[in-house]
Amino acid sequence: MSLDDLDARILALFTTQPQIGVLGASRELGVARGTVQARLDRLVARGVIRSWAPQLDPAALGYPVSAFCTLEIRQGRGHSPVVEHLSTIPEVLEAHTITGSGDLLIRVVARDNADLQRVIDAVVDDRHVIRASTVISLATRIPLRTLPLVRSGAGPAAG
């Protein structure tokens, strides 16, 4: 799926000014309100826009320690039992199936290093998890971002 220039401008605007609203966006972009709304509806329907929810900062919520764990899981039952287990742990923010020596890569947060040990203990407290290897993130140099993809992938405006 490609984006045209107007789609990219709409996405950039709502990314940088999430509270602008459809009317404000139409004024800022110089297009009709209905055009902005139709484009947003289409982007939502196509799954480009997944959520209008606010982005939360775990550190501001009291979880300043961030770590990545590579999990090796017992073969034979697939990833589902481990993913179900991980879903019950609030500090597990993401889980990805990966290639390489591990099977799953998860991102976790904790209140401090001692709390991280508690989180890791909870993660490995499943008979399907064989081994975990954890690295602590010291600093986030590039936070999760998608706007550069939007800007690099935009084509000419649809006619």
Side-chain angles (χ1 to χ4, degrees):
M1 182 205 122
S2 62
L3 301 173
D4 67 20
D5 182 61
L6 181 56
D7 287 336
R9 289 172 45 217
I10 290 170
L11 290 169
L13 184 59
F14 276 92
T15 299
T16 58
Q17 299 178 49
Q19 295 177 328
I20 193 166
V22 175
L23 182 58
S26 70
R27 290 177 179 154
E28 180 85 16
L29 298 168
V31 297
R33 181 194 177 287
T35 300
V36 172
Q37 186 64 60
R39 293 293 186 110
L40 287 172
D41 291 344
R42 188 181 78 212
L43 291 166
V44 169
R46 291 166 73 180
V48 174
I49 297 173
R50 292 188 302 173
S51 173
W52 295 102
Q55 294 181 7
L56 305 178
D57 181 357
L61 292 171
Y63 296 87
V65 176
S66 183
F68 298 89
C69 303
T70 302
L71 304 181
E72 185 179 327
I73 63 171
R74 191 170 316 286
Q75 303 301 307
R77 299 253 352 255
H79 293 80
S80 295
V82 177
V83 172
E84 288 174 23
H85 167 68
L86 295 173
S87 296
T88 67
I89 304 169
E91 295 87 357
V92 174
L93 303 184
E94 298 179 72
H96 303 270
T97 300
I98 59 171
T99 62
S101 61
D103 299 301
L104 287 170
L105 177 69
I106 65 172
R107 182 165 69 113
V108 300
V109 293
R111 295 187 183 281
D112 53 35
N113 286 352
D115 190 46
L116 178 60
Q117 182 62 60
R118 178 194 59 80
V119 173
I120 294 168
D121 288 346
V123 165
V124 299
D125 189 23
D126 182 280
R127 66 184 180 91
H128 301 291
V129 177
I130 298 171
R131 181 175 296 112
S133 174
T134 304
V135 293
I136 297 173
S137 172
L138 298 177
T140 300
R141 300 298 181 178
I142 300 174
L144 177 64
R145 63 193 184 130
T146 53
L147 198 50
L149 289 175
V150 170
R151 290 184 173 139
S152 71

mmCIF file with all atom_site columns, all heavy atoms in Angstrom, residues 29 32 35 40-41 54 58 61 64 68 83 110 119 134 150:
data_model
loop_
_atom_site.group_PDB
_atom_site.id
_atom_site.type_symbol
_atom_site.label_atom_id
_atom_site.label_alt_id
_atom_site.label_comp_id
_atom_site.label_asym_id
_atom_site.label_entity_id
_atom_site.label_seq_id
_atom_site.pdbx_PDB_ins_code
_atom_site.Cartn_x
_atom_site.Cartn_y
_atom_site.Cartn_z
_atom_site.occupancy
_atom_site.B_iso_or_equiv
_atom_site.pdbx_formal_charge
_atom_site.auth_seq_id
_atom_site.auth_comp_id
_atom_site.auth_asym_id
_atom_site.auth_atom_id
_atom_site.pdbx_PDB_model_num
ATOM 1   N N   . LEU A 1 29  ? -4.237  22.285  6.119  1.00 0.00 ? 29  LEU A N   1
ATOM 2   C CA  . LEU A 1 29  ? -3.826  21.668  4.861  1.00 0.00 ? 29  LEU A CA  1
ATOM 3   C C   . LEU A 1 29  ? -4.428  22.347  3.630  1.00 0.00 ? 29  LEU A C   1
ATOM 4   O O   . LEU A 1 29  ? -4.009  22.068  2.509  1.00 0.00 ? 29  LEU A O   1
ATOM 5   C CB  . LEU A 1 29  ? -4.205  20.180  4.862  1.00 0.00 ? 29  LEU A CB  1
ATOM 6   C CG  . LEU A 1 29  ? -3.534  19.334  5.945  1.00 0.00 ? 29  LEU A CG  1
ATOM 7   C CD1 . LEU A 1 29  ? -4.183  17.966  6.035  1.00 0.00 ? 29  LEU A CD1 1
ATOM 8   C CD2 . LEU A 1 29  ? -2.044  19.219  5.664  1.00 0.00 ? 29  LEU A CD2 1
ATOM 9   N N   . ALA A 1 32  ? -10.822 20.523  1.910  1.00 0.00 ? 32  ALA A N   1
ATOM 10  C CA  . ALA A 1 32  ? -12.148 20.452  2.526  1.00 0.00 ? 32  ALA A CA  1
ATOM 11  C C   . ALA A 1 32  ? -12.152 19.499  3.719  1.00 0.00 ? 32  ALA A C   1
ATOM 12  O O   . ALA A 1 32  ? -11.437 18.488  3.743  1.00 0.00 ? 32  ALA A O   1
ATOM 13  C CB  . ALA A 1 32  ? -13.176 19.992  1.498  1.00 0.00 ? 32  ALA A CB  1
ATOM 14  N N   . THR A 1 35  ? -12.871 15.994  2.823  1.00 0.00 ? 35  THR A N   1
ATOM 15  C CA  . THR A 1 35  ? -11.729 15.294  2.232  1.00 0.00 ? 35  THR A CA  1
ATOM 16  C C   . THR A 1 35  ? -10.840 14.717  3.329  1.00 0.00 ? 35  THR A C   1
ATOM 17  O O   . THR A 1 35  ? -10.423 13.560  3.268  1.00 0.00 ? 35  THR A O   1
ATOM 18  C CB  . THR A 1 35  ? -10.908 16.245  1.337  1.00 0.00 ? 35  THR A CB  1
ATOM 19  O OG1 . THR A 1 35  ? -11.755 16.723  0.292  1.00 0.00 ? 35  THR A OG1 1
ATOM 20  C CG2 . THR A 1 35  ? -9.690  15.558  0.743  1.00 0.00 ? 35  THR A CG2 1
ATOM 21  N N   . LEU A 1 40  ? -9.018  10.087  6.432  1.00 0.00 ? 40  LEU A N   1
ATOM 22  C CA  . LEU A 1 40  ? -8.801  9.456   7.736  1.00 0.00 ? 40  LEU A CA  1
ATOM 23  C C   . LEU A 1 40  ? -9.580  8.148   7.842  1.00 0.00 ? 40  LEU A C   1
ATOM 24  O O   . LEU A 1 40  ? -9.047  7.131   8.310  1.00 0.00 ? 40  LEU A O   1
ATOM 25  C CB  . LEU A 1 40  ? -9.201  10.404  8.868  1.00 0.00 ? 40  LEU A CB  1
ATOM 26  C CG  . LEU A 1 40  ? -8.274  11.584  9.126  1.00 0.00 ? 40  LEU A CG  1
ATOM 27  C CD1 . LEU A 1 40  ? -8.902  12.535  10.124 1.00 0.00 ? 40  LEU A CD1 1
ATOM 28  C CD2 . LEU A 1 40  ? -6.908  11.113  9.613  1.00 0.00 ? 40  LEU A CD2 1
ATOM 29  N N   . ASP A 1 41  ? -10.832 8.159   7.399  1.00 0.00 ? 41  ASP A N   1
ATOM 30  C CA  . ASP A 1 41  ? -11.649 6.944   7.440  1.00 0.00 ? 41  ASP A CA  1
ATOM 31  C C   . ASP A 1 41  ? -11.008 5.834   6.620  1.00 0.00 ? 41  ASP A C   1
ATOM 32  O O   . ASP A 1 41  ? -10.972 4.670   7.038  1.00 0.00 ? 41  ASP A O   1
ATOM 33  C CB  . ASP A 1 41  ? -13.068 7.223   6.932  1.00 0.00 ? 41  ASP A CB  1
ATOM 34  C CG  . ASP A 1 41  ? -13.878 8.103   7.861  1.00 0.00 ? 41  ASP A CG  1
ATOM 35  O OD1 . ASP A 1 41  ? -13.482 8.272   9.039  1.00 0.00 ? 41  ASP A OD1 1
ATOM 36  O OD2 . ASP A 1 41  ? -14.908 8.645   7.403  1.00 0.00 ? 41  ASP A OD2 1
ATOM 37  N N   . PRO A 1 54  ? -3.766  7.912   23.290 1.00 0.00 ? 54  PRO A N   1
ATOM 38  C CA  . PRO A 1 54  ? -2.540  8.658   23.608 1.00 0.00 ? 54  PRO A CA  1
ATOM 39  C C   . PRO A 1 54  ? -1.357  7.711   23.752 1.00 0.00 ? 54  PRO A C   1
ATOM 40  O O   . PRO A 1 54  ? -1.521  6.534   24.088 1.00 0.00 ? 54  PRO A O   1
ATOM 41  C CB  . PRO A 1 54  ? -2.865  9.333   24.942 1.00 0.00 ? 54  PRO A CB  1
ATOM 42  C CG  . PRO A 1 54  ? -3.949  8.511   25.537 1.00 0.00 ? 54  PRO A CG  1
ATOM 43  C CD  . PRO A 1 54  ? -4.729  7.925   24.380 1.00 0.00 ? 54  PRO A CD  1
ATOM 44  N N   . PRO A 1 58  ? 6.086   4.870   29.919 1.00 0.00 ? 58  PRO A N   1
ATOM 45  C CA  . PRO A 1 58  ? 6.202   4.021   31.110 1.00 0.00 ? 58  PRO A CA  1
ATOM 46  C C   . PRO A 1 58  ? 7.012   4.669   32.229 1.00 0.00 ? 58  PRO A C   1
ATOM 47  O O   . PRO A 1 58  ? 6.678   4.510   33.404 1.00 0.00 ? 58  PRO A O   1
ATOM 48  C CB  . PRO A 1 58  ? 6.887   2.755   30.584 1.00 0.00 ? 58  PRO A CB  1
ATOM 49  C CG  . PRO A 1 58  ? 6.517   2.716   29.133 1.00 0.00 ? 58  PRO A CG  1
ATOM 50  C CD  . PRO A 1 58  ? 6.485   4.159   28.700 1.00 0.00 ? 58  PRO A CD  1
ATOM 51  N N   . LEU A 1 61  ? 5.009   6.823   34.289 1.00 0.00 ? 61  LEU A N   1
ATOM 52  C CA  . LEU A 1 61  ? 4.063   6.035   35.083 1.00 0.00 ? 61  LEU A CA  1
ATOM 53  C C   . LEU A 1 61  ? 4.749   5.314   36.241 1.00 0.00 ? 61  LEU A C   1
ATOM 54  O O   . LEU A 1 61  ? 4.114   4.554   36.970 1.00 0.00 ? 61  LEU A O   1
ATOM 55  C CB  . LEU A 1 61  ? 3.360   5.009   34.192 1.00 0.00 ? 61  LEU A CB  1
ATOM 56  C CG  . LEU A 1 61  ? 2.408   5.569   33.140 1.00 0.00 ? 61  LEU A CG  1
ATOM 57  C CD1 . LEU A 1 61  ? 1.962   4.469   32.188 1.00 0.00 ? 61  LEU A CD1 1
ATOM 58  C CD2 . LEU A 1 61  ? 1.197   6.211   33.808 1.00 0.00 ? 61  LEU A CD2 1
ATOM 59  N N   . PRO A 1 64  ? 10.774  3.370   35.072 1.00 0.00 ? 64  PRO A N   1
ATOM 60  C CA  . PRO A 1 64  ? 11.868  3.944   34.297 1.00 0.00 ? 64  PRO A CA  1
ATOM 61  C C   . PRO A 1 64  ? 12.861  2.928   33.718 1.00 0.00 ? 64  PRO A C   1
ATOM 62  O O   . PRO A 1 64  ? 13.636  3.262   32.830 1.00 0.00 ? 64  PRO A O   1
ATOM 63  C CB  . PRO A 1 64  ? 12.572  4.855   35.298 1.00 0.00 ? 64  PRO A CB  1
ATOM 64  C CG  . PRO A 1 64  ? 12.325  4.197   36.616 1.00 0.00 ? 64  PRO A CG  1
ATOM 65  C CD  . PRO A 1 64  ? 10.938  3.610   36.507 1.00 0.00 ? 64  PRO A CD  1
ATOM 66  N N   . PHE A 1 68  ? 15.055  -5.711  27.363 1.00 0.00 ? 68  PHE A N   1
ATOM 67  C CA  . PHE A 1 68  ? 14.644  -6.618  26.298 1.00 0.00 ? 68  PHE A CA  1
ATOM 68  C C   . PHE A 1 68  ? 15.090  -8.019  26.687 1.00 0.00 ? 68  PHE A C   1
ATOM 69  O O   . PHE A 1 68  ? 16.226  -8.232  27.099 1.00 0.00 ? 68  PHE A O   1
ATOM 70  C CB  . PHE A 1 68  ? 15.279  -6.214  24.969 1.00 0.00 ? 68  PHE A CB  1
ATOM 71  C CG  . PHE A 1 68  ? 14.843  -4.850  24.526 1.00 0.00 ? 68  PHE A CG  1
ATOM 72  C CD1 . PHE A 1 68  ? 15.534  -3.718  24.924 1.00 0.00 ? 68  PHE A CD1 1
ATOM 73  C CD2 . PHE A 1 68  ? 13.728  -4.689  23.723 1.00 0.00 ? 68  PHE A CD2 1
ATOM 74  C CE1 . PHE A 1 68  ? 15.144  -2.452  24.536 1.00 0.00 ? 68  PHE A CE1 1
ATOM 75  C CE2 . PHE A 1 68  ? 13.314  -3.424  23.333 1.00 0.00 ? 68  PHE A CE2 1
ATOM 76  C CZ  . PHE A 1 68  ? 14.015  -2.313  23.746 1.00 0.00 ? 68  PHE A CZ  1
ATOM 77  N N   . VAL A 1 83  ? 2.846   -16.935 25.071 1.00 0.00 ? 83  VAL A N   1
ATOM 78  C CA  . VAL A 1 83  ? 2.232   -15.622 24.836 1.00 0.00 ? 83  VAL A CA  1
ATOM 79  C C   . VAL A 1 83  ? 1.060   -15.406 25.778 1.00 0.00 ? 83  VAL A C   1
ATOM 80  O O   . VAL A 1 83  ? 0.889   -14.308 26.319 1.00 0.00 ? 83  VAL A O   1
ATOM 81  C CB  . VAL A 1 83  ? 1.813   -15.468 23.355 1.00 0.00 ? 83  VAL A CB  1
ATOM 82  C CG1 . VAL A 1 83  ? 0.997   -14.210 23.136 1.00 0.00 ? 83  VAL A CG1 1
ATOM 83  C CG2 . VAL A 1 83  ? 3.056   -15.466 22.452 1.00 0.00 ? 83  VAL A CG2 1
ATOM 84  N N   . ALA A 1 110 ? 10.208  -1.922  34.376 1.00 0.00 ? 110 ALA A N   1
ATOM 85  C CA  . ALA A 1 110 ? 10.213  -2.188  35.815 1.00 0.00 ? 110 ALA A CA  1
ATOM 86  C C   . ALA A 1 110 ? 10.448  -0.885  36.563 1.00 0.00 ? 110 ALA A C   1
ATOM 87  O O   . ALA A 1 110 ? 10.880  0.109   35.990 1.00 0.00 ? 110 ALA A O   1
ATOM 88  C CB  . ALA A 1 110 ? 11.296  -3.208  36.158 1.00 0.00 ? 110 ALA A CB  1
ATOM 89  N N   . VAL A 1 119 ? 10.133  -9.084  37.610 1.00 0.00 ? 119 VAL A N   1
ATOM 90  C CA  . VAL A 1 119 ? 9.470   -9.221  36.309 1.00 0.00 ? 119 VAL A CA  1
ATOM 91  C C   . VAL A 1 119 ? 10.055  -10.398 35.536 1.00 0.00 ? 119 VAL A C   1
ATOM 92  O O   . VAL A 1 119 ? 9.318   -11.217 34.978 1.00 0.00 ? 119 VAL A O   1
ATOM 93  C CB  . VAL A 1 119 ? 9.568   -7.908  35.498 1.00 0.00 ? 119 VAL A CB  1
ATOM 94  C CG1 . VAL A 1 119 ? 9.035   -8.096  34.086 1.00 0.00 ? 119 VAL A CG1 1
ATOM 95  C CG2 . VAL A 1 119 ? 8.817   -6.779  36.211 1.00 0.00 ? 119 VAL A CG2 1
ATOM 96  N N   . THR A 1 134 ? 18.534  -11.385 29.133 1.00 0.00 ? 134 THR A N   1
ATOM 97  C CA  . THR A 1 134 ? 18.001  -10.033 29.289 1.00 0.00 ? 134 THR A CA  1
ATOM 98  C C   . THR A 1 134 ? 19.099  -8.990  29.131 1.00 0.00 ? 134 THR A C   1
ATOM 99  O O   . THR A 1 134 ? 20.205  -9.172  29.640 1.00 0.00 ? 134 THR A O   1
ATOM 100 C CB  . THR A 1 134 ? 17.353  -9.878  30.681 1.00 0.00 ? 134 THR A CB  1
ATOM 101 O OG1 . THR A 1 134 ? 16.346  -10.887 30.832 1.00 0.00 ? 134 THR A OG1 1
ATOM 102 C CG2 . THR A 1 134 ? 16.730  -8.508  30.853 1.00 0.00 ? 134 THR A CG2 1
ATOM 103 N N   . VAL A 1 150 ? 6.375   7.340   6.602  1.00 0.00 ? 150 VAL A N   1
ATOM 104 C CA  . VAL A 1 150 ? 5.312   8.047   5.896  1.00 0.00 ? 150 VAL A CA  1
ATOM 105 C C   . VAL A 1 150 ? 5.907   9.028   4.913  1.00 0.00 ? 150 VAL A C   1
ATOM 106 O O   . VAL A 1 150 ? 5.518   9.082   3.743  1.00 0.00 ? 150 VAL A O   1
ATOM 107 C CB  . VAL A 1 150 ? 4.380   8.768   6.892  1.00 0.00 ? 150 VAL A CB  1
ATOM 108 C CG1 . VAL A 1 150 ? 3.407   9.700   6.185  1.00 0.00 ? 150 VAL A CG1 1
ATOM 109 C CG2 . VAL A 1 150 ? 3.620   7.762   7.746  1.00 0.00 ? 150 VAL A CG2 1
#
